[in-house]
Amino acid sequence: VDPRIYIYTDRPLYRAGQTVYFRGVVRAEDDVRYSLPSAGVANITIYNVEWEEVYREQLPLDEFGTFHGELELDAGASLGQYAIEADVATRGMP
């Protein structure tokens, strides 16, 4: 069963020097049934508009199948859309 991951930030726009807070929700999808992973980690990578890596961290999944983190943007951070990528390794997807 492949995991489904939903990632969101605390707001849609940021300025250079501000902190981006993000959270992710992981679920196992089996047809139309969703279930919690029993344990695992999320490998998170964030890329700037030039597709340069600006953040890489391994975050644990809690008992609700969620993870959270933060990225403090540099004072000279690039303008534009950033991308958050998650690769989840679980020890028990039903």
Side-chain angles (χ1 to χ4, degrees):
V1 178
D2 290 330
R4 299 289 179 205
I5 306 165
Y6 177 72
I7 302 172
Y8 58 95
T9 60
D10 63 317
R11 59 181 198 265
L13 297 172
Y14 298 87
R15 292 187 178 146
Q18 292 182 329
T19 302
V20 178
Y21 297 96
F22 62 90
R23 183 176 183 86
V25 179
V26 179
R27 294 292 181 266
E29 180 191 10
D30 184 12
D31 196 18
V32 294
R33 274 187 46 210
Y34 290 93
S35 57
L36 294 172
S38 60
V41 295
N43 297 301
I44 307 300
T45 309
I46 301 177
Y47 300 95
N48 66 13
V49 69
E50 289 93 24
W51 208 247
E52 298 168 335
E53 185 179 298
V54 294
Y55 177 93
R56 179 180 290 268
E57 193 71 39
Q58 188 175 72
L59 302 173
L61 297 181
D62 64 17
E63 66 271 16
F64 303 108
T66 66
F67 60 87
H68 65 278
E70 59 187 65
L71 164 66
E72 186 172 335
L73 297 172
D74 292 334
S78 301
L79 297 177
Q81 187 170 343
Y82 284 49
I84 302 175
E85 183 178 90
D87 178 29
V88 175
T90 62
R91 293 189 285 262
M93 291 294 249

